[in-house]
Amino acid sequence: MHCSIIDLVAERRFDALWDTDLGANATDGQFTPCVRELIVGIKQAYKPFAPNTGSAQPTDTLITKIILGTFGSLPACDRYF
C-alpha cells in the first residue's frame, strides 16, 4: 500500500523539496505549487485502498505526517498542532 507513496516522493518533480528548509526564507512561497501537487499525488495513491478499508482515506493528518516524516517541510496537522 505504501510503496506507491515511496515512488511518488522519489519522483524528480519533488527534488526541490528534499533540498529546501521550508519556512526559513521569505521566498518559500514558490514551493507551494509543488507541495500542493504532492498532496494531490498522495491522495490519488491512497484512493484505491479506501473502499477496502471502509474509510475516507487519506486523512489530512496522514498526508501531513507523510510530508513531515519524508521532507520535514510541513507540520503534521493533528490534534496537537
Side-chain angles (χ1 to χ4, degrees):
M1 177 188 306
H2 304 290
C3 291
S4 59
I5 300 300
I6 295 168
D7 293 338
L8 176 69
V9 299
E11 291 180 10
R12 294 192 55 88
R13 61 185 166 151
F14 301 116
D15 282 354
L17 297 177
W18 289 105
D19 299 326
T20 303
D21 185 13
L22 289 179
N25 297 308
T27 59
D28 286 346
Q30 68 181 341
F31 296 104
T32 301
C34 187
V35 171
R36 293 190 55 80
E37 187 177 347
L38 178 60
I39 291 169
V40 169
I42 293 170
K43 285 182 179 182
Q44 290 174 344
Y46 277 115
K47 193 172 184 174
F49 300 101
N52 296 340
T53 61
S55 70
Q57 288 189 51
T59 63
D60 290 340
T61 301
L62 176 61
I63 292 168
T64 56
K65 284 184 182 266
I66 290 169
I67 296 171
L68 171 67
T70 307
F71 299 103
S73 60
L74 191 68
C77 296
D78 58 12
R79 61 183 175 161
Y80 299 109
F81 176 66

